[in-house]
mmCIF file of all heavy atoms in Angstrom:
data_model
loop_
_atom_site.group_PDB
_atom_site.id
_atom_site.type_symbol
_atom_site.label_atom_id
_atom_site.label_comp_id
_atom_site.label_asym_id
_atom_site.label_seq_id
_atom_site.Cartn_x
_atom_site.Cartn_y
_atom_site.Cartn_z
ATOM 1 N N TRP A 67 -14.375 -169.247 -65.032
ATOM 2 C CA TRP A 67 -15.396 -169.785 -64.037
ATOM 3 C C TRP A 67 -16.687 -169.031 -64.162
ATOM 4 O O TRP A 67 -16.760 -167.937 -64.691
ATOM 5 C CB TRP A 67 -14.800 -169.673 -62.645
ATOM 6 C CG TRP A 67 -13.694 -170.652 -62.365
ATOM 7 C CD1 TRP A 67 -13.264 -171.677 -63.191
ATOM 8 C CD2 TRP A 67 -12.934 -170.740 -61.198
ATOM 9 N NE1 TRP A 67 -12.222 -172.358 -62.618
ATOM 10 C CE2 TRP A 67 -11.982 -171.813 -61.377
ATOM 11 C CE3 TRP A 67 -12.864 -170.032 -60.018
ATOM 12 C CZ2 TRP A 67 -11.093 -172.183 -60.392
ATOM 13 C CZ3 TRP A 67 -11.962 -170.408 -59.071
ATOM 14 C CH2 TRP A 67 -11.086 -171.467 -59.253
ATOM 15 N N LEU A 68 -17.702 -169.628 -63.617
ATOM 16 C CA LEU A 68 -19.017 -169.028 -63.603
ATOM 17 C C LEU A 68 -19.176 -167.995 -62.502
ATOM 18 O O LEU A 68 -18.497 -168.068 -61.476
ATOM 19 C CB LEU A 68 -20.090 -170.116 -63.506
ATOM 20 C CG LEU A 68 -20.041 -171.176 -64.572
ATOM 21 C CD1 LEU A 68 -21.099 -172.280 -64.331
ATOM 22 C CD2 LEU A 68 -20.244 -170.565 -65.971
ATOM 23 N N ARG A 69 -20.098 -167.085 -62.702
ATOM 24 C CA ARG A 69 -20.300 -165.963 -61.783
ATOM 25 C C ARG A 69 -21.607 -166.197 -61.005
ATOM 26 O O ARG A 69 -22.610 -166.632 -61.599
ATOM 27 C CB ARG A 69 -20.378 -164.653 -62.513
ATOM 28 C CG ARG A 69 -20.582 -163.480 -61.610
ATOM 29 C CD ARG A 69 -20.633 -162.214 -62.406
ATOM 30 N NE ARG A 69 -20.727 -161.149 -61.449
ATOM 31 C CZ ARG A 69 -21.550 -160.185 -61.506
ATOM 32 N NH1 ARG A 69 -22.385 -160.045 -62.531
ATOM 33 N NH2 ARG A 69 -21.625 -159.255 -60.593
ATOM 34 N N THR A 70 -21.590 -165.875 -59.727
ATOM 35 C CA THR A 70 -22.798 -165.879 -58.929
ATOM 36 C C THR A 70 -22.675 -164.719 -57.927
ATOM 37 O O THR A 70 -21.636 -164.109 -57.799
ATOM 38 C CB THR A 70 -22.985 -167.222 -58.199
ATOM 39 O OG1 THR A 70 -24.281 -167.281 -57.579
ATOM 40 C CG2 THR A 70 -21.926 -167.440 -57.114
ATOM 41 N N ASP A 71 -23.795 -164.456 -57.266
ATOM 42 C CA ASP A 71 -23.747 -163.382 -56.236
ATOM 43 C C ASP A 71 -23.369 -163.960 -54.905
ATOM 44 O O ASP A 71 -23.743 -165.048 -54.573
ATOM 45 C CB ASP A 71 -25.169 -162.711 -56.156
ATOM 46 C CG ASP A 71 -25.507 -161.976 -57.411
ATOM 47 O OD1 ASP A 71 -24.581 -161.401 -58.045
ATOM 48 O OD2 ASP A 71 -26.719 -161.920 -57.752
ATOM 49 N N GLY A 72 -22.657 -163.134 -54.163
ATOM 50 C CA GLY A 72 -22.235 -163.504 -52.837
ATOM 51 C C GLY A 72 -22.308 -162.341 -51.879
ATOM 52 O O GLY A 72 -22.533 -161.243 -52.292
ATOM 53 N N TYR A 97 -16.626 -165.082 -47.288
ATOM 54 C CA TYR A 97 -17.862 -164.718 -48.014
ATOM 55 C C TYR A 97 -18.715 -165.996 -48.207
ATOM 56 O O TYR A 97 -18.197 -167.101 -48.116
ATOM 57 C CB TYR A 97 -17.545 -164.101 -49.343
ATOM 58 C CG TYR A 97 -16.553 -164.822 -50.219
ATOM 59 C CD1 TYR A 97 -16.937 -165.756 -51.170
ATOM 60 C CD2 TYR A 97 -15.188 -164.563 -50.078
ATOM 61 C CE1 TYR A 97 -16.037 -166.410 -51.951
ATOM 62 C CE2 TYR A 97 -14.224 -165.196 -50.850
ATOM 63 C CZ TYR A 97 -14.679 -166.166 -51.771
ATOM 64 O OH TYR A 97 -13.740 -166.813 -52.536
ATOM 65 N N GLU A 98 -19.979 -165.776 -48.460
ATOM 66 C CA GLU A 98 -20.883 -166.856 -48.730
ATOM 67 C C GLU A 98 -21.508 -166.664 -50.117
ATOM 68 O O GLU A 98 -21.713 -165.513 -50.531
ATOM 69 C CB GLU A 98 -21.975 -166.961 -47.666
ATOM 70 C CG GLU A 98 -21.455 -167.414 -46.325
ATOM 71 C CD GLU A 98 -22.558 -167.615 -45.291
ATOM 72 O OE1 GLU A 98 -23.735 -167.270 -45.586
ATOM 73 O OE2 GLU A 98 -22.239 -168.074 -44.192
ATOM 74 N N TYR A 99 -21.823 -167.750 -50.784
ATOM 75 C CA TYR A 99 -22.462 -167.683 -52.109
ATOM 76 C C TYR A 99 -23.260 -168.962 -52.287
ATOM 77 O O TYR A 99 -23.125 -169.920 -51.548
ATOM 78 C CB TYR A 99 -21.401 -167.492 -53.203
ATOM 79 C CG TYR A 99 -20.371 -168.615 -53.227
ATOM 80 C CD1 TYR A 99 -20.457 -169.625 -54.200
ATOM 81 C CD2 TYR A 99 -19.298 -168.643 -52.373
ATOM 82 C CE1 TYR A 99 -19.536 -170.609 -54.261
ATOM 83 C CE2 TYR A 99 -18.367 -169.641 -52.458
ATOM 84 C CZ TYR A 99 -18.484 -170.635 -53.391
ATOM 85 O OH TYR A 99 -17.542 -171.645 -53.438
ATOM 86 N N GLN A 100 -24.096 -168.933 -53.247
ATOM 87 C CA GLN A 100 -24.938 -170.110 -53.570
ATOM 88 C C GLN A 100 -24.781 -170.517 -55.021
ATOM 89 O O GLN A 100 -24.664 -169.700 -55.911
ATOM 90 C CB GLN A 100 -26.439 -169.827 -53.306
ATOM 91 C CG GLN A 100 -26.753 -169.705 -51.847
ATOM 92 C CD GLN A 100 -28.274 -169.708 -51.648
ATOM 93 O OE1 GLN A 100 -29.052 -169.718 -52.579
ATOM 94 N NE2 GLN A 100 -28.669 -169.707 -50.380
ATOM 95 N N VAL A 101 -24.788 -171.876 -55.196
ATOM 96 C CA VAL A 101 -24.736 -172.458 -56.531
ATOM 97 C C VAL A 101 -25.785 -173.556 -56.556
ATOM 98 O O VAL A 101 -25.758 -174.459 -55.715
ATOM 99 C CB VAL A 101 -23.354 -173.041 -56.874
ATOM 100 C CG1 VAL A 101 -23.377 -173.747 -58.197
ATOM 101 C CG2 VAL A 101 -22.266 -171.951 -56.815
ATOM 102 N N SER A 102 -26.722 -173.471 -57.461
ATOM 103 C CA SER A 102 -27.804 -174.473 -57.615
ATOM 104 C C SER A 102 -28.497 -174.721 -56.294
ATOM 105 O O SER A 102 -28.803 -175.850 -55.919
ATOM 106 C CB SER A 102 -27.239 -175.782 -58.142
ATOM 107 O OG SER A 102 -26.630 -175.599 -59.390
ATOM 108 N N GLY A 103 -28.783 -173.648 -55.572
ATOM 109 C CA GLY A 103 -29.550 -173.758 -54.329
ATOM 110 C C GLY A 103 -28.721 -174.208 -53.139
ATOM 111 O O GLY A 103 -29.271 -174.315 -52.021
ATOM 112 N N ARG A 104 -27.465 -174.499 -53.297
ATOM 113 C CA ARG A 104 -26.617 -174.961 -52.188
ATOM 114 C C ARG A 104 -25.685 -173.842 -51.765
ATOM 115 O O ARG A 104 -25.109 -173.123 -52.590
ATOM 116 C CB ARG A 104 -25.795 -176.152 -52.618
ATOM 117 C CG ARG A 104 -24.958 -176.734 -51.525
ATOM 118 C CD ARG A 104 -24.342 -178.068 -51.899
ATOM 119 N NE ARG A 104 -23.510 -178.478 -50.800
ATOM 120 C CZ ARG A 104 -22.534 -179.362 -50.889
ATOM 121 N NH1 ARG A 104 -22.320 -179.937 -52.030
ATOM 122 N NH2 ARG A 104 -21.823 -179.668 -49.845
ATOM 123 N N SER A 105 -25.537 -173.665 -50.429
ATOM 124 C CA SER A 105 -24.710 -172.584 -49.889
ATOM 125 C C SER A 105 -23.238 -173.056 -49.764
ATOM 126 O O SER A 105 -22.994 -174.181 -49.391
ATOM 127 C CB SER A 105 -25.201 -172.155 -48.534
ATOM 128 O OG SER A 105 -26.469 -171.546 -48.661
ATOM 129 N N TYR A 106 -22.355 -172.104 -50.057
ATOM 130 C CA TYR A 106 -20.923 -172.359 -49.939
ATOM 131 C C TYR A 106 -20.264 -171.194 -49.225
ATOM 132 O O TYR A 106 -20.795 -170.072 -49.221
ATOM 133 C CB TYR A 106 -20.273 -172.518 -51.320
ATOM 134 C CG TYR A 106 -20.686 -173.744 -52.094
ATOM 135 C CD1 TYR A 106 -21.763 -173.695 -52.968
ATOM 136 C CD2 TYR A 106 -20.022 -174.957 -51.898
ATOM 137 C CE1 TYR A 106 -22.136 -174.831 -53.662
ATOM 138 C CE2 TYR A 106 -20.396 -176.084 -52.599
ATOM 139 C CZ TYR A 106 -21.466 -176.002 -53.466
ATOM 140 O OH TYR A 106 -21.865 -177.111 -54.172
ATOM 141 N N ALA A 107 -19.130 -171.436 -48.637
ATOM 142 C CA ALA A 107 -18.359 -170.369 -47.999
ATOM 143 C C ALA A 107 -16.969 -170.333 -48.632
ATOM 144 O O ALA A 107 -16.410 -171.411 -48.951
ATOM 145 C CB ALA A 107 -18.221 -170.617 -46.503
ATOM 146 N N GLY A 108 -16.419 -169.154 -48.820
ATOM 147 C CA GLY A 108 -15.089 -169.029 -49.432
ATOM 148 C C GLY A 108 -14.263 -168.004 -48.660
ATOM 149 O O GLY A 108 -14.792 -167.180 -47.959
ATOM 150 N N ALA A 138 -19.714 -160.045 -56.595
ATOM 151 C CA ALA A 138 -19.650 -161.150 -57.549
ATOM 152 C C ALA A 138 -18.651 -162.201 -57.021
ATOM 153 O O ALA A 138 -17.553 -161.820 -56.545
ATOM 154 C CB ALA A 138 -19.247 -160.636 -58.916
ATOM 155 N N VAL A 139 -19.010 -163.443 -57.086
ATOM 156 C CA VAL A 139 -18.128 -164.555 -56.719
ATOM 157 C C VAL A 139 -17.995 -165.400 -57.959
ATOM 158 O O VAL A 139 -18.997 -165.727 -58.628
ATOM 159 C CB VAL A 139 -18.705 -165.345 -55.548
ATOM 160 C CG1 VAL A 139 -17.839 -166.570 -55.250
ATOM 161 C CG2 VAL A 139 -18.866 -164.474 -54.291
ATOM 162 N N PHE A 140 -16.761 -165.830 -58.261
ATOM 163 C CA PHE A 140 -16.496 -166.653 -59.427
ATOM 164 C C PHE A 140 -16.115 -168.065 -58.922
ATOM 165 O O PHE A 140 -15.212 -168.200 -58.120
ATOM 166 C CB PHE A 140 -15.371 -166.079 -60.276
ATOM 167 C CG PHE A 140 -15.708 -164.661 -60.734
ATOM 168 C CD1 PHE A 140 -15.388 -163.564 -59.967
ATOM 169 C CD2 PHE A 140 -16.398 -164.490 -61.937
ATOM 170 C CE1 PHE A 140 -15.703 -162.292 -60.417
ATOM 171 C CE2 PHE A 140 -16.699 -163.228 -62.367
ATOM 172 C CZ PHE A 140 -16.370 -162.110 -61.586
ATOM 173 N N TYR A 141 -16.860 -169.057 -59.348
ATOM 174 C CA TYR A 141 -16.643 -170.399 -58.850
ATOM 175 C C TYR A 141 -16.364 -171.416 -59.972
ATOM 176 O O TYR A 141 -16.791 -171.216 -61.125
ATOM 177 C CB TYR A 141 -17.871 -170.867 -58.039
ATOM 178 C CG TYR A 141 -19.128 -171.089 -58.857
ATOM 179 C CD1 TYR A 141 -19.418 -172.374 -59.405
ATOM 180 C CD2 TYR A 141 -19.984 -170.035 -59.169
ATOM 181 C CE1 TYR A 141 -20.563 -172.535 -60.166
ATOM 182 C CE2 TYR A 141 -21.135 -170.222 -59.911
ATOM 183 C CZ TYR A 141 -21.394 -171.476 -60.442
ATOM 184 O OH TYR A 141 -22.499 -171.651 -61.197
ATOM 185 N N ASP A 142 -15.646 -172.429 -59.599
ATOM 186 C CA ASP A 142 -15.304 -173.533 -60.522
ATOM 187 C C ASP A 142 -16.540 -174.365 -60.785
ATOM 188 O O ASP A 142 -17.094 -174.936 -59.855
ATOM 189 C CB ASP A 142 -14.182 -174.342 -59.933
ATOM 190 C CG ASP A 142 -13.657 -175.456 -60.786
ATOM 191 O OD1 ASP A 142 -14.365 -175.797 -61.793
ATOM 192 O OD2 ASP A 142 -12.595 -175.968 -60.466
ATOM 193 N N PRO A 143 -17.013 -174.438 -62.033
ATOM 194 C CA PRO A 143 -18.239 -175.222 -62.272
ATOM 195 C C PRO A 143 -18.063 -176.719 -61.952
ATOM 196 O O PRO A 143 -19.066 -177.380 -61.623
ATOM 197 C CB PRO A 143 -18.491 -174.987 -63.777
ATOM 198 C CG PRO A 143 -17.254 -174.450 -64.346
ATOM 199 C CD PRO A 143 -16.484 -173.815 -63.215
ATOM 200 N N ASP A 144 -16.854 -177.228 -62.014
ATOM 201 C CA ASP A 144 -16.590 -178.638 -61.686
ATOM 202 C C ASP A 144 -16.534 -178.851 -60.177
ATOM 203 O O ASP A 144 -16.742 -179.966 -59.691
ATOM 204 C CB ASP A 144 -15.326 -179.129 -62.363
ATOM 205 C CG ASP A 144 -15.441 -179.080 -63.881
ATOM 206 O OD1 ASP A 144 -16.525 -179.345 -64.386
ATOM 207 O OD2 ASP A 144 -14.408 -178.819 -64.540
ATOM 208 N N LYS A 145 -16.097 -177.832 -59.433
ATOM 209 C CA LYS A 145 -15.979 -177.905 -57.976
ATOM 210 C C LYS A 145 -16.486 -176.595 -57.413
ATOM 211 O O LYS A 145 -15.737 -175.660 -57.148
ATOM 212 C CB LYS A 145 -14.539 -178.087 -57.562
ATOM 213 C CG LYS A 145 -13.944 -179.435 -57.964
ATOM 214 C CD LYS A 145 -12.544 -179.572 -57.496
ATOM 215 C CE LYS A 145 -12.002 -180.912 -57.896
ATOM 216 N NZ LYS A 145 -10.620 -181.121 -57.451
ATOM 217 N N PRO A 146 -17.844 -176.485 -57.233
ATOM 218 C CA PRO A 146 -18.398 -175.187 -56.801
ATOM 219 C C PRO A 146 -17.878 -174.677 -55.469
ATOM 220 O O PRO A 146 -18.018 -173.490 -55.203
ATOM 221 C CB PRO A 146 -19.906 -175.482 -56.721
ATOM 222 C CG PRO A 146 -20.108 -176.696 -57.566
ATOM 223 C CD PRO A 146 -18.844 -177.488 -57.528
ATOM 224 N N GLY A 147 -17.290 -175.511 -54.664
ATOM 225 C CA GLY A 147 -16.707 -175.075 -53.405
ATOM 226 C C GLY A 147 -15.411 -174.287 -53.584
ATOM 227 O O GLY A 147 -14.908 -173.673 -52.616
ATOM 228 N N ARG A 148 -14.859 -174.257 -54.773
ATOM 229 C CA ARG A 148 -13.637 -173.546 -55.110
ATOM 230 C C ARG A 148 -14.065 -172.224 -55.740
ATOM 231 O O ARG A 148 -14.669 -172.206 -56.808
ATOM 232 C CB ARG A 148 -12.796 -174.368 -56.059
ATOM 233 C CG ARG A 148 -11.464 -173.694 -56.391
ATOM 234 C CD ARG A 148 -10.683 -174.464 -57.393
ATOM 235 N NE ARG A 148 -10.219 -175.715 -56.788
ATOM 236 C CZ ARG A 148 -9.818 -176.791 -57.495
ATOM 237 N NH1 ARG A 148 -9.868 -176.813 -58.802
ATOM 238 N NH2 ARG A 148 -9.396 -177.837 -56.863
ATOM 239 N N ALA A 149 -13.683 -171.095 -55.096
ATOM 240 C CA ALA A 149 -14.159 -169.804 -55.611
ATOM 241 C C ALA A 149 -13.142 -168.722 -55.293
ATOM 242 O O ALA A 149 -12.286 -168.859 -54.434
ATOM 243 C CB ALA A 149 -15.511 -169.440 -55.009
ATOM 244 N N VAL A 150 -13.287 -167.599 -56.040
ATOM 245 C CA VAL A 150 -12.475 -166.407 -55.825
ATOM 246 C C VAL A 150 -13.342 -165.186 -56.014
ATOM 247 O O VAL A 150 -14.400 -165.246 -56.646
ATOM 248 C CB VAL A 150 -11.265 -166.346 -56.849
ATOM 249 C CG1 VAL A 150 -10.274 -167.410 -56.557
ATOM 250 C CG2 VAL A 150 -11.746 -166.369 -58.253
#
Side-chain angles (χ1 to χ4, degrees):
W67 287 356
L68 301 178
R69 180 179 185 227
T70 189
D71 293 327
Y97 49 93
E98 289 184 356
Y99 60 100
Q100 287 192 357
V101 176
S102 300
R104 184 169 177 201
S105 293
Y106 293 92
V139 175
F140 301 89
Y141 67 93
D142 183 344
D144 296 326
K145 294 183 180 179
R148 181 183 292 162
V150 292

